[in-house]
Amino acid sequence: MARRLLERSASSSSSSLFLILLFPLLAAALVVVTAQRNAPPVASVRVGVILTAGSPIGVRRRTGLQMAAEDYYAAHPGSATRVELHFRDSAAGDVLASASAAVDLIKNVQVQAIIGPPTSAEAEFVVHVGSHSHVPVLSYSATSPALSPVQTPFFVRTAVNDSFQAAPVAAVLDAFSWRAAAVVYEDSPYGSGILPSLADALQGVGAKITDRTAVPADATDDRLDALLYRLDAMPTRVFVVHMLYDVAGRFFRRAKMLGMMSKGYIWVATDGVATFMDRFSPEEVDTMQGVVSLRPYVQETDAVKNFSARFKARLRRDSPAVDDVREPTALRFWAYDTVWAIAAAAEEAGVASPAFQTPQTRMPLTDLDRLGVSATGAALLRSVLNTTFDGLAGKFRLVDGQLQPPAYEVVNILGRGPRTVGFWTPESGITQDLNAGSAARTLKQILWPGEPRETPKGWTVSPTGKPLRVDVPTKRGFTQFLDVGNVTLTGNRNITGYCIDMFDEVMKIMPYPVSYEYVPYPESSESYEKLVDQVSTQKADVVVGDVTITASRMEEVDFTMPFTESGWSMVVAVQKETSTSMWIFLQPLTTSLWLTSLAFFCFTGFVVWVIEHRINDEFRGTPWQQFGLIFYFAFSTLVFSHKEKLESNLSRFVVIIWVFVVLILTSSYTASLTSMLTVQKLQPTVTDVRELLRRGDYIGYQEGTFIVPLLEKMGFEGRMRSYSTADQYADALSKGSANGGVAAIFDEIPYLKLFLSQYCDGFTMVGPIYKTDGFGFVFPRGSPMVADVSRAILTLAETEKMAQIEKKWFGEPGACQSQGSAVGSSNLSFRSFGGLFLITGVVSTAMLLIYLATFFYREREKLRAAEAAAISGASGSGSPSIRRLRAWARHYDQRDPKSRTFKRSIDESVRNGSEYGNRTPRWGDESPFNGAGAGGDAGRIPEDAVVGMSPFSVSVSTSSERNNNAVSPPPTPGDMPASEFDGSFERGAVAGTSQPR
């Protein structure tokens, strides 16, 4: 009984627990059901899709678009809007069918946006219909630059503009240094739209488009063959192909049959080939072996892998007839992201049900007139343009109504499909991989058509396979440049000359063999313009000769860099003249050298005077005598007539160096002056073109030259005579203008130099040199050989071979010396003697500094005493610094009693028995200049005392000196310095007073 009660109690407890747990679930379900009943209905956003419904491509795209809408709302289950896709058929790319489908979608379905149509030609008309009705048109496949979102604001390109491919194509050509290419494009809005961008991009890397060939989309095989034959006749072998897959497949098949997919040919295709590789048949892929193409790069993320797997499974399930399931392309990802962008934009803008305003037209003629204007189109367009997210193709972000350029993948078609050989990004350009730190700025190994081991050079020397025809001028004179000889026994001509040897050597160092043959052109003597026209009219492949590079000629042909000197000038006769000017003695030295020499003369004399003044009587005297001595001593060294005896070794060293400088200077002056007085100088008869015009003289020129029109513009029309040889030049100049000759010959510098090397005496080149670019080899416009030949000329110029060729035809440079020696001697400049002046300047300055340092050191005690006396003295004017300098100057002006010169004078006076020799001088002694006694002339300065005065002598003695002398005890003869003895002589002479008491 108890057990039964227990079981019943447990059963009731479990039932209660179940009811407790079930109640929250029932309540939540009730809330959800109530919310769903009360929630507003989901707004439907009608989106039209125009595609080729019956083709496998259309089936694939329809499946991808449907999956995109389903995936978006699976990821956003709470969306208030829902995109409804309404599909219409474009009838295999028919423009009219696409336009009709757009009208039907807008008028009958009232769609709020349109996706498609597939091609740019179809989209061009649909876009205008959408702009009229304010219905945004989003295209993931209309890539032609001719469609611009700026011109049609309701057009949104959710793909990449074809013009963005121009930069990677140019980068590929630049990576292999190809500088010319022919562009082959589809004759449609898709094909022609890329040409302006491609031309600019190639120009940015130094390349150019040599030809543009349009291929009609419906071209027959015969038409394709004719276009390919025309391309094969061009020198370039680099072809850039911009076509859609259907035209490209037939084009490359015909190129393969004509042998243009073999060694030496280069084909670079845009993404119209690589992006649609799944649409080519195996036979078409086989014809494209070696082609390099581009395609937008899509990173293989987990989302991409998941979508690709689901897409294949769904396509097999829903469309079993489409059995060829291939890898998705970038266009499929762009289409997927387009649906996501519309769904996100509709949700963000809160687009309600469609509403169209009926147009107010009186008599609608067609359905186009009955199309209304969408009330929600503008809001939806703004929201789409501002939508950003991470899509399958990468970052979805619109700038100016279109996607920004992604990274491009560079592929090489080999075997059954493309092989990735590199990448291109706007930031890094060409790289082998997309790693940020990748330093490889080149592509991987590429197998070109014909499987060559090396990279093709990109052009052919002779498209026909025959040797190049090289036309050469036929000249009557100056055959050193080019000489067309007589016909030999073999029927050929012996063509020689400087230009021929230069061209032969250049061809030898070309990086590839070149076969050519010379053909004389007989009409070149009349005008070289006809010779140049042989190349522009394709009658000759190259012109080699003395052809000057001019701007007018370069409008028709291309020139290599010049291989001779440039410019043209004139040659005139000269007349002998001897200088007879009265001032010719000044001409040997330049003004700067005259002034420098004068300065160093004065400086050297001053240095010698400073060193010798205190120790040499010959350098003392009155101020004017000493100033004169400075100049006299220095300038007397010109003729080595200086007789002053120097006592100091310092001054002797200064004079030795200076005399050496003077010797070289005078010798050079004498030689130059002698040359000017004796050598006959050759003066040109004419020095200026204006002088020729003023006198009305005749001038000459070489036949066939390009400078004839230039001379006529200068004013010589009607007064010009033509010549062909150097002998005729000399004869005409010798006769002169008045005797049937000419006063001047105008010609190019190479000819004039050759003429002067043969006729040294009597002629000279004068006047300005008019600039031209020298001689160059002539090639057709756009010829790739021009750059290689120019590089070969530079290479030849850096070797001795070019100098050897010039020596062979023109002789040793400067072999004729009479022309240069007859011009006369040039004057001497300071630069020629700068080293000598530097040496003597350094020596003189060093000796002066050594002397001053020695003087201040030896006389430091006396200088201090003189400073103290000068500063503390009652008399005198000026600041203490001025008085200190005066004290130093007075002390310097005194004789140096320690010098050997003055000691010898004292000894001689003692031996001669003077009053100073018989007794010891005292401070109380009468001065020999003061004449004590009744009959003496007190206060008079003897005439011989004046000789000892200097510019630094002082006329008045201070009272402090007299007081100090008065109280000082008389020194003994042994204690009295010699300087005081000597100084008493000059102090008495200067003061003119009696001796201190």
Side-chain angles (χ1 to χ4, degrees), residues 307-513:
F307 169 75
S308 300
R310 293 188 296 111
F311 177 81
K312 292 179 181 179
R314 180 162 177 171
L315 196 61
R316 291 191 184 98
R317 184 190 68 213
D318 296 346
S319 303
V322 185
D323 55 354
D324 188 10
V325 179
R326 303 175 183 179
E327 293 297 327
T329 62
L331 266 69
R332 191 171 302 163
F333 296 133
W334 289 337
Y336 183 94
D337 292 343
T338 301
V339 175
W340 270 66
I342 294 179
E347 184 70 22
E348 180 68 23
V351 176
S353 299
F356 279 78
Q357 299 176 355
T358 304
Q360 301 297 327
T361 58
R362 294 182 180 180
M363 294 181 61
L365 300 178
T366 64
D367 288 342
L368 294 176
D369 297 326
R370 298 185 181 92
L371 292 180
V373 176
S374 174
T376 60
L380 182 60
L381 175 64
R382 288 193 299 269
S383 184
V384 168
L385 295 178
N386 295 326
T387 299
T388 58
F389 59 91
D390 291 329
L392 293 183
K395 185 71 173 179
F396 184 90
R397 183 171 65 91
L398 300 175
V399 177
D400 296 331
Q402 57 188 358
L403 283 179
Q404 291 308 288
Y408 277 94
E409 191 176 1
V410 184
V411 298
N412 184 204
I413 300 177
L414 294 175
R416 296 182 179 179
R419 179 180 67 93
T420 301
V421 294
F423 299 87
W424 177 92
T425 60
E427 298 80 16
S428 304
I430 291 291
T431 55
Q432 290 188 3
D433 54 63
L434 288 177
N435 295 332
S438 177
R441 301 298 180 186
T442 59
L443 298 173
K444 297 178 183 178
Q445 181 64 41
I446 296 177
L447 191 62
W448 303 101
E451 302 183 4
R453 295 183 178 180
E454 69 280 351
T455 301
K457 62 177 178 289
W459 59 277
T460 181
V461 176
S462 177
T464 61
K466 299 179 181 179
L468 294 179
R469 170 173 171 155
V470 181
D471 278 14
V472 296
T474 302
K475 298 181 65 66
R476 299 177 185 176
F478 295 98
T479 54
Q480 293 87 344
F481 289 96
L482 196 143
D483 184 21
V484 177
N486 296 324
V487 179
T488 61
L489 297 177
T490 60
N492 298 324
R493 288 181 180 268
N494 184 23
I495 301 176
T496 59
Y498 170 73
C499 298
I500 298 299
D501 285 358
M502 285 292 299
F503 188 76
D504 291 340
E505 291 298 327
V506 166
M507 292 298 105
K508 289 179 182 178
I509 60 179
M510 290 284 283
Y512 42 82

Side-chain angles (χ1 to χ4, degrees), residues 501-558:
D501 285 358
M502 285 292 299
F503 188 76
D504 291 340
E505 291 298 327
V506 166
M507 292 298 105
K508 289 179 182 178
I509 60 179
M510 290 284 283
Y512 42 82
V514 180
S515 176
Y516 56 94
E517 59 181 3
Y518 294 113
V519 177
Y521 183 71
E523 300 181 13
S524 58
S525 58
E526 299 178 5
S527 174
Y528 272 31
E529 305 302 328
K530 295 182 179 180
L531 177 63
V532 174
D533 290 340
Q534 289 292 104
V535 173
S536 61
T537 56
Q538 299 182 356
K539 296 179 180 179
D541 298 315
V542 189
V543 165
V544 172
D546 49 346
V547 183
T548 305
I549 304 172
T550 63
S552 60
R553 292 172 179 173
M554 291 193 69
E555 294 179 358
E556 303 295 334
V557 296
D558 281 349

Side-chain angles (χ1 to χ4, degrees), residues 166-167 170 196-207:
S197 301
L198 186 59
D200 293 341
L202 291 178
Q203 186 178 6
V205 297

Side-chain angles (χ1 to χ4, degrees), residues 25-362:
L25 297 176
L26 295 175
L30 182 62
V31 171
V32 171
V33 171
T34 304
Q36 289 178 350
R37 289 179 179 178
N38 298 331
V42 176
S44 177
V45 179
R46 301 175 187 176
V47 177
V49 180
I50 302 176
L51 46 75
T52 308
S55 66
I57 300 173
V59 173
R60 296 191 193 104
R61 290 185 178 176
R62 178 168 183 162
T63 301
L65 294 173
Q66 291 173 340
M67 291 180 62
E70 295 170 1
D71 291 348
Y72 178 83
Y73 291 112
H76 304 84
S79 299
T81 59
R82 184 168 296 273
V83 170
E84 294 180 0
L85 299 178
H86 298 267
F87 295 91
R88 293 292 184 273
D89 187 9
S90 65
D94 188 356
V95 175
L96 185 58
S98 297
S100 179
V103 173
D104 175 59
L105 289 170
I106 296 174
K107 178 184 176 183
N108 300 323
V109 184
Q110 292 190 342
V111 295
Q112 294 157 284
I114 295 177
I115 298 177
T119 65
S120 298
E122 299 172 75
E124 186 174 2
F125 188 78
V126 173
V127 164
H128 289 288
V129 175
S131 297
H132 172 76
S133 299
H134 289 191
V135 176
V137 177
L138 289 79
S139 178
Y140 55 85
S141 56
T143 57
S144 173
L147 292 174
S148 172
V150 177
Q151 299 175 355
T152 52
F154 279 84
F155 171 62
V156 179
R157 196 197 315 269
T158 56
V160 176
N161 192 331
D162 279 338
S163 62
F164 294 154
Q165 298 184 76
V169 169
V172 171
L173 267 63
D174 185 52
F176 298 99
S177 300
W178 294 323
R179 297 295 175 241
V183 178
V184 188
Y185 62 95
E186 180 182 320
D187 191 7
S188 66
Y190 164 82
S192 60
I194 196 177
L195 293 180
S197 301
L198 186 59
D200 293 341
L202 291 178
Q203 186 178 6
V205 297
K208 60 183 177 180
I209 298 177
T210 58
D211 186 77
R212 297 176 175 88
T213 301
V215 179
D218 57 349
T220 62
D221 290 347
D222 292 339
R223 180 69 182 276
L224 292 177
D225 290 347
L227 295 175
L228 288 169
Y229 279 127
R230 179 174 174 272
L231 293 174
D232 195 36
M234 299 178 183
T236 183
R237 286 296 179 260
V238 180
F239 305 103
V240 177
V241 179
H242 181 59
M243 303 175 184
L244 287 175
Y245 62 94
D246 52 348
V247 182
R250 294 189 294 113
F251 179 82
F252 282 112
R253 186 172 63 250
R254 301 308 301 176
K256 175 79 171 180
M257 295 183 63
L258 296 179
M260 296 181 65
M261 301 299 297
S262 57
K263 183 178 180 180
Y265 291 88
I266 301 161
W267 299 92
V268 179
T270 57
D271 63 355
V273 173
T275 302
F276 303 98
M277 286 301 300
D278 59 337
R279 303 180 191 178
F280 290 107
S281 65
E283 293 77 10
E284 290 174 335
V285 173
D286 183 65
T287 62
M288 292 187 290
Q289 296 296 301
V291 174
V292 174
S293 183
L294 303 173
R295 64 185 178 189
Y297 173 70
V298 177
Q299 186 177 4
E300 193 174 1
T301 61
D302 293 337
V304 170
K305 295 177 181 178
N306 177 268
F307 169 75
S308 300
R310 293 188 296 111
F311 177 81
K312 292 179 181 179
R314 180 162 177 171
L315 196 61
R316 291 191 184 98
R317 184 190 68 213
D318 296 346
S319 303
V322 185
D323 55 354
D324 188 10
V325 179
R326 303 175 183 179
E327 293 297 327
T329 62
L331 266 69
R332 191 171 302 163
F333 296 133
W334 289 337
Y336 183 94
D337 292 343
T338 301
V339 175
W340 270 66
I342 294 179
E347 184 70 22
E348 180 68 23
V351 176
S353 299
F356 279 78
Q357 299 176 355
T358 304
Q360 301 297 327
T361 58
R362 294 182 180 180

Side-chain angles (χ1 to χ4, degrees), residues 834-853:
L836 291 175
F837 286 119
L838 177 63
I839 293 173
T840 184
V842 170
V843 170
S844 299
T845 303
M847 297 301 103
L848 178 62
L849 294 177
I850 292 174
Y851 171 77
L852 293 177

Side-chain angles (χ1 to χ4, degrees), residues 924-942:
D925 293 342
E926 296 293 333
S927 173
F929 304 132
N930 286 320
D937 295 333
R940 183 177 64 84
I941 301 176

Side-chain angles (χ1 to χ4, degrees), residues 688-849:
D688 195 285
V689 175
R690 292 187 295 270
E691 186 177 356
L692 290 170
L693 294 171
R694 185 177 63 255
R695 299 191 321 195
D697 291 334
Y698 279 85
I699 63 169
Y701 63 90
Q702 184 182 174
E703 60 178 7
T705 182
F706 73 98
I707 66 175
V708 173
L710 302 178
L711 295 174
E712 292 177 349
K713 290 181 180 180
M714 295 171 63
F716 292 107
E717 186 175 2
R719 290 185 285 116
M720 297 187 297
R721 291 167 177 165
S722 174
Y723 303 99
S724 58
T725 66
D727 296 337
Q728 293 176 356
Y729 278 13
D731 182 64
L733 290 172
S734 301
K735 290 180 179 179
S737 179
N739 299 318
V742 293
I745 293 287
F746 286 87
D747 208 342
E748 296 172 72
I749 299 297
Y751 299 117
L752 297 183
K753 285 193 172 183
L754 179 60
F755 168 72
L756 292 176
S757 66
Q758 298 176 352
Y759 295 89
C760 303
D761 298 327
F763 307 100
T764 185
M765 186 166 59
V766 297
I769 296 178
Y770 303 94
K771 293 298 182 181
T772 57
D773 283 339
F775 298 160
F777 302 130
V778 185
F779 285 86
R781 289 292 300 271
S783 173
M785 284 190 68
V786 174
D788 293 337
V789 174
S790 296
R791 280 189 289 267
I793 292 174
L794 283 177
T795 303
L796 186 63
E798 295 173 356
T799 64
E800 296 182 356
K801 188 63 179 180
M802 179 175 283
Q804 294 174 0
I805 296 175
E806 293 178 354
K807 180 181 177 181
K808 171 184 176 182
W809 293 102
F810 307 134
E812 288 284 351
C816 180
Q817 299 295 331
S818 60
Q819 171 71 18
S821 62
V823 175
S825 301
S826 60
N827 49 10
L828 305 174
S829 63
F830 171 76
R831 184 178 182 85
S832 304
F833 300 92
L836 291 175
F837 286 119
L838 177 63
I839 293 173
T840 184
V842 170
V843 170
S844 299
T845 303
M847 297 301 103
L848 178 62
L849 294 177

